[in-house]
Amino acid sequence: YIYLMADHKCLTIPSTRSKRKILRRKTSYQQKMMKFSSLLVLFFIFPIALAQLRVGFYSRSCPQAETIVRNLVRQRFGVDPTVTAALLRMHFHDCFVRGCDASLLIDSTNSEKTAGPNGSVREFDLIDRIKAQLEAACPSTVSCADIITLATRDSVALAGGPSYSIPTGRRDGLVSNNVDVALPGPTISVAGAVSLFTNKGMNVFDAVALLGAHTVGQGNCGLFNDRITNFQGTGRPDPSMDPALVSSLRNTCRNSASAALDQSTPLRFDNQFFKQLRKRRGVMQVDQRLATDRQTRGVVARYANNNAFFKRQFVRAMIKMGAVDVLTGRAGEIRRNCRRFN
C-alpha cells in the first residue's frame, strides 16, 4: 500500500495488484446483481407462468404427448402446407382474447368462434384429431391450450422456421363469449397494432416479429381490394403499393378469393416478408405501414437484413405470447373434448 497525506488525513491507496482484485470482485458482484434483477423483473411480469409453465411439463404424465402432436401436424403439413398460417392465426386469436386458454375452440351459438374476426380461423379438425390420440394415450392430461401452442410451434418448424422448446402446463378456460372478441382489422394504425402487443407485456420487436408471421399468411381479397382499385375513394390504387404488385394482385383476385401476403416465398417461413415491405410490396395496409412508421421501420430493416435475428426474435415473442393470461395449477380444466366444456 502507498500512504499519502492530503487535507491532513492519512489515505490508504491500494496497489495495482490490489486494485485488480477489487475490480474483479466488483465486476463479479455486479454481474450477479444483474442476473438477480433480471429474474426479479421476469418474476413480477410473468409470476404465474414462471411458477407453473415449464418445458417438458408432460414428461412424466404423458411422455409421448409432444411426439403425438408433432407427428399429426407433420402429416397435415404434407397434405396442406398452409396449415402453418392457419395454426399461427388460431394461436394468436386465442391468446389475445382472455389469454391462451383454448376458449376459441368451443362450439356454441355465442362462443368466440362465432365472432366475425374468427370466421377465417380453420384447422379445428386437426386439433380434434390430436386431442383424440392424446386422450387415448393419456386421458384428461394434456390441455387443448397446450395442443394449440405445440401444434403451432411444430408447423412453423416444418415451414422452415425456427425449432424451439416452449413451456407447457396451460389449462383450458371455462368461458367463451363472442362479445369478448375485439381483434384489429388490416387497416389498424401501426401505433394501434403495437399498443395491442404492449398491453400484453410485449415490446415493438415482439410486435413486428409476430406480424412477420404473415410471411406464410393468406389474405382475403376483400381485405385489401381498395388498395388495388379505389384507395380511400380516389378511384386509383394505393400510391404506396408497387404498381407491379397492384397488377399481380388484380389478376390473382380475379381468379381466387385470397392472395399470399408474402409474394416472394409464400409457404416459407423466412424474412422475405420484411424485404418485400421495403420494396413497397406489402399486401395488407398495416403491413406496409410497418416499413415507413418511425416506431417500426428500423425493426423492419433489421429483420430484413438478418434472417437469423428475425427468427430468434420470433421465438422470444412466441414464448411471451404463449404465456399471456394463462390458466395454470387448479384454475380452469383439462377438457376431454376441445369443442366442449367438461
Side-chain angles (χ1 to χ4, degrees):
Y1 286 90
I2 303 171
Y3 295 90
L4 296 176
M5 291 296 295
D7 295 330
H8 307 290
K9 294 179 181 178
C10 182
L11 302 181
T12 304
I13 308 293
S15 66
T16 301
R17 181 178 297 175
S18 298
K19 284 181 180 178
R20 288 173 181 165
K21 289 182 180 178
I22 293 171
L23 183 59
R24 281 197 298 269
R25 289 173 187 160
K26 183 178 179 181
T27 301
S28 176
Y29 174 77
Q30 289 174 333
Q31 289 173 342
K32 289 178 181 177
M33 288 304 297
M34 286 176 66
K35 290 179 181 178
F36 179 67
S37 299
S38 297
L39 287 172
L40 282 178
V41 170
L42 285 171
F43 180 77
F44 284 114
I45 292 176
F46 300 113
I48 297 176
L50 282 176
Q52 301 291 339
L53 296 183
R54 67 177 186 273
V55 174
F57 182 87
Y58 300 108
S59 59
R60 291 187 178 181
S61 59
C62 190
Q64 64 271 54
E66 295 198 22
T67 301
I68 289 172
V69 175
R70 186 177 300 111
N71 287 342
L72 287 171
V73 172
R74 183 182 293 112
Q75 289 176 17
R76 181 61 183 148
F77 183 86
V79 175
D80 181 6
T82 68
V83 68
T84 303
L87 289 173
L88 281 163
R89 176 176 288 272
M90 180 187 289
H91 192 29
F92 173 81
H93 281 220
D94 182 49
C95 289
F96 273 76
V97 180
R98 304 188 65 85
C100 309
D101 65 351
S103 52
L104 173 60
L105 304 182
I106 294 296
D107 281 341
S108 76
T109 54
N110 298 312
S111 68
E112 290 177 26
K113 191 182 287 186
T114 65
N118 289 329
S120 59
V121 179
R122 55 189 176 87
E123 293 299 335
F124 297 110
D125 288 346
L126 173 59
I127 302 300
D128 291 340
R129 290 196 296 276
I130 295 171
K131 182 60 173 174
Q133 282 206 19
L134 287 169
E135 284 298 304
C138 318
S140 301
T141 301
V142 181
S143 70
C144 301
D146 276 342
I147 291 173
I148 296 175
T149 303
L150 292 169
T152 302
R153 184 270 310 269
D154 294 337
S155 72
V156 167
L158 288 166
S163 298
Y164 56 97
S165 297
I166 194 160
T168 45
R170 298 163 191 78
R171 288 172 65 86
D172 299 321
L174 300 171
V175 177
S176 181
N177 294 319
N178 56 16
V179 295
D180 293 330
V181 179
L183 295 166
T187 59
I188 189 174
S189 67
V190 170
V194 170
S195 67
L196 180 74
F197 291 93
T198 56
N199 289 341
K200 298 294 184 180
M202 290 176 267
N203 58 38
V204 175
F205 279 88
D206 300 323
V208 178
L210 290 173
L211 288 171
H214 285 174
T215 185
V216 291
Q218 294 278 323
N220 186 284
C221 290
L223 297 177
F224 57 84
N225 185 63
D226 64 320
R227 296 194 71 209
I228 60 176
T229 56
N230 183 24
F231 185 64
Q232 296 181 349
T234 61
R236 298 178 180 180
D238 185 345
S240 70
M241 182 181 283
D242 174 22
L245 178 60
V246 171
S247 177
S248 175
L249 290 174
R250 283 176 175 173
N251 289 333
T252 298
C253 291
R254 272 194 287 266
N255 303 303
S256 176
S258 62
L261 301 183
D262 177 351
Q263 294 281 306
S264 177
T265 54
L267 296 176
R268 187 78 181 168
F269 194 97
D270 55 25
N271 68 337
Q272 285 295 323
F273 170 74
F274 296 108
K275 293 183 178 182
Q276 293 291 298
L277 295 187
R278 301 191 77 198
K279 295 177 180 178
R280 300 168 51 215
R281 293 180 61 83
V283 176
M284 295 293 188
Q285 190 171 16
V286 65
D287 290 345
Q288 189 55 59
R289 286 173 172 170
L290 292 174
T292 56
D293 190 274
R294 285 173 45 185
Q295 195 174 9
T296 54
R297 64 192 179 196
V299 181
V300 169
R302 290 189 66 179
Y303 289 164
N305 292 328
N306 192 327
N307 191 34
F309 178 63
F310 161 55
K311 289 181 177 180
R312 286 196 302 272
Q313 291 298 126
F314 179 79
V315 169
R316 291 172 183 171
M318 286 294 283
I319 291 173
K320 283 185 182 182
M321 187 178 79
V324 168
D325 298 332
V326 294
L327 300 173
T328 58
R330 296 187 178 182
E333 65 181 8
I334 304 296
R335 287 184 215 142
R336 292 183 290 274
N337 182 329
C338 289
R339 293 175 182 259
R340 298 194 297 269
F341 301 121
N342 290 343

